[in-house]
Amino acid sequence: GESVGLHLPTLSVQEGDNSIINCAYSNSASDYFIWYKQESGKGPQFIIDIRSNMDKRQGQRVTVLLNKTVKHLSLQIAATQPGDSAVYFCAEKGRRNNDMRFGAGTRLTVKP
Amino acid sequence: GAGVSQSPSNKVTEKGKDVELRCDPISGHTALYWYRQSLGQGLEFLIYFQGNSAPDKSGLPSDRFSAERTGGSVSTLTIQRTQQEDSAVYLCASSLDRGGYNEQFFGPGTRLTVL
């Protein structure tokens, strides 16, 4: 079957460095992608989204890149801070509103 | 508050007992989702409510699981005859579902422990 997955389960970076979290997807019909951040004991929190007709979208300190050719999604966090430490999930939406699939997540640890 | 709320935050129960988990979505959100998250895992879709349409129950793992949404607002997820493998965090989310490109807003979850 088709799935959403992450290349790396854990990522450790130094405070102030840039972080890149990657995600692979295989459903070519997916038309909407979201990155979520989940801190310990909390529900996932929306970070940024991108539609399939775009290849890049920027937010505050975050950038999402979408490469439909290789079905790859990435989240870039600039000047990573200790507060960025969390698990990051990518999610893809298929044709139906309820067809949202989540990856297992990447744990980002920021070292001071 | 204006966010999605869930209760209880933690629930410990004995194997074989029934439990009810509650979700209060954001006012005005027509779509409501339930997910299950096991330790260190991603989110597993359980059920989806959209307006007055019949819910999509395709993610419910067994007939011990059921959910209702009353008046298009509050939802209750019921697990009957709980088993130890039901232990997980149960997350609720709501969205506007306008045009299909709407973020889901998540509640803090209910951590269920079945002894």
Side-chain angles (χ1 to χ4, degrees), chain B residues 5-17:
Chain B
S5 61
Q6 292 185 246
S7 61
S9 56
N10 282 283
K11 177 70 176 179
V12 180
T13 190
E14 294 179 346
K15 178 182 174 181
K17 295 287 181 68

Side-chain angles (χ1 to χ4, degrees), chain A residues 31-32 34 36 38 41-46 49 51-52 89 93 96-105, chain B residues 33 35 37 40-43 45 48 50 56 58 91 97 99-109 111:
Chain A
D31 58 3
Y32 181 50
I34 304 178
Y36 285 94
Q38 186 174 27
K42 298 182 180 179
Q45 178 185 9
F46 172 91
D49 60 359
R51 299 188 187 188
S52 58
F89 295 91
K93 188 187 79 67
R96 297 176 300 160
N97 290 341
N98 56 328
D99 188 13
M100 186 74 80
R101 307 182 190 187
F102 293 81
Chain B
Y33 308 76
Y35 295 91
Q37 185 176 33
Q41 301 296 313
L43 277 64
F45 167 77
Y48 163 67
Q50 169 56 284
D56 177 352
S58 60
L91 290 161
D97 261 3
Y101 300 109
N102 294 280
E103 64 177 286
Q104 296 180 21
F105 293 82
F106 284 85
R111 181 175 296 278

Side-chain angles (χ1 to χ4, degrees), chain A residues 22-85:
Chain A
N22 296 304
C23 180
Y25 67 95
S26 57
N27 184 357
S28 57
S30 293
D31 58 3
Y32 181 50
F33 304 86
I34 304 178
W35 279 101
Y36 285 94
K37 172 186 179 183
Q38 186 174 27
E39 297 175 282
S40 181
K42 298 182 180 179
Q45 178 185 9
F46 172 91
I47 301 174
I48 191 168
D49 60 359
I50 188 168
R51 299 188 187 188
S52 58
N53 62 352
M54 303 171 66
D55 54 20
K56 180 179 180 179
R57 190 160 188 228
Q58 289 185 294
Q60 186 177 11
R61 285 202 304 119
V62 295
T63 300
V64 55
L65 299 177
L66 176 63
N67 185 330
K68 293 180 288 293
T69 302
V70 296
K71 297 185 179 66
H72 184 268
L73 189 71
S74 69
L75 176 70
Q76 299 179 359
I77 305 174
T80 315
Q81 302 169 0
D84 295 327
S85 294

Side-chain angles (χ1 to χ4, degrees), chain B residues 48-112:
Chain B
Y48 163 67
F49 295 90
Q50 169 56 284
N52 296 320
S53 302
D56 177 352
K57 305 178 182 180
S58 60
L60 295 178
S62 77
D63 58 8
R64 296 187 295 106
F65 288 72
S66 63
E68 292 184 337
R69 188 179 185 192
T70 55
S73 180
V74 172
S75 178
T76 302
L77 176 69
T78 301
I79 308 174
Q80 295 177 310
R81 305 180 302 281
T82 52
Q83 303 295 312
Q84 289 183 333
E85 59 263 29
D86 298 335
S87 296
V89 175
Y90 289 82
L91 290 161
C92 173
S94 69
S95 74
L96 283 170
D97 261 3
R98 183 182 54 222
Y101 300 109
N102 294 280
E103 64 177 286
Q104 296 180 21
F105 293 82
F106 284 85
T110 293
R111 181 175 296 278
L112 175 65

Side-chain angles (χ1 to χ4, degrees), chain B residues 13-31:
Chain B
T13 190
E14 294 179 346
K15 178 182 174 181
K17 295 287 181 68
D18 298 351
V19 295
E20 285 190 352
L21 312 179
R22 177 187 168 105
C23 172
D24 284 84
I26 293 174
S27 177
H29 280 193
T30 56

